[in-house]
Amino acid sequence: MKDTLQQLVVKVNKKFENDPKYREKLKSLSRSINLEFDGKDNYHFYLKDSHLSDVEEGKIEADINVMVSSDVFNKILAKEIDPLTAYLTKQIRIKASLMDKLLISDLLK
């Protein structure tokens, strides 16, 4: 799963590089993000200055905490499930402010 997450980080960072409007929109945000898969595997990374850090293993006290099965997460990345639909049907749980929940949805697109 770490490799899949790192590929997502690379994709989002390329979007920051290639889309000045997107980069400007998130430039002032600084967030820590923890993802828990299948109730056991944890990974985290940081958003700062319109850039996502590399993925690291382990759980941290984060601003945004996402709990999801690896199967559902892969379906979201493959665009088989919309992130908002997954959230509304409780296939993905996010502990964060409303603004941060929208941020996660945006990052997963």
Side-chain angles (χ1 to χ4, degrees), residues 33-35 41-45 56-60:
I33 303 165
N34 190 77
L35 290 104
D41 298 323
N42 286 276
Y43 302 92
H44 64 274
F45 52 91
E56 299 177 42
E57 292 186 34
K59 187 173 186 173
I60 61 167

Side-chain angles (χ1 to χ4, degrees), residues 40-94:
K40 59 182 177 176
D41 298 323
N42 286 276
Y43 302 92
H44 64 274
F45 52 91
Y46 302 90
L47 169 65
K48 185 174 182 179
D49 300 324
S50 297
H51 180 81
L52 290 177
S53 70
D54 287 338
V55 176
E56 299 177 42
E57 292 186 34
K59 187 173 186 173
I60 61 167
E61 289 292 324
D63 300 308
I64 303 169
N65 290 283
V66 179
M67 289 77 56
V68 63
S69 73
S70 52
D71 182 53
V72 168
F73 189 76
N74 285 323
K75 286 180 180 179
I76 290 170
L77 294 181
K79 307 218 182 296
E80 295 172 21
I81 299 174
D82 178 70
L84 182 58
T85 301
Y87 177 74
L88 294 174
T89 58
K90 300 186 182 194
Q91 295 178 67
I92 186 171
R93 293 186 331 230
I94 304 170

Side-chain angles (χ1 to χ4, degrees), residues 3-41:
D3 290 338
T4 300
L5 287 172
Q6 190 61 44
Q7 289 172 9
L8 177 62
V9 164
V10 168
K11 177 183 169 186
V12 171
N13 282 334
K14 281 184 183 177
K15 185 174 181 182
F16 284 135
E17 289 174 23
N18 298 325
D19 187 344
K21 194 174 181 180
Y22 188 63
R23 183 175 54 244
E24 184 67 24
K25 177 176 138 181
L26 299 177
K27 77 174 185 174
S28 64
L29 286 180
S30 179
R31 297 287 187 274
S32 54
I33 303 165
N34 190 77
L35 290 104
E36 180 180 299
F37 295 97
D38 306 310
K40 59 182 177 176
D41 298 323

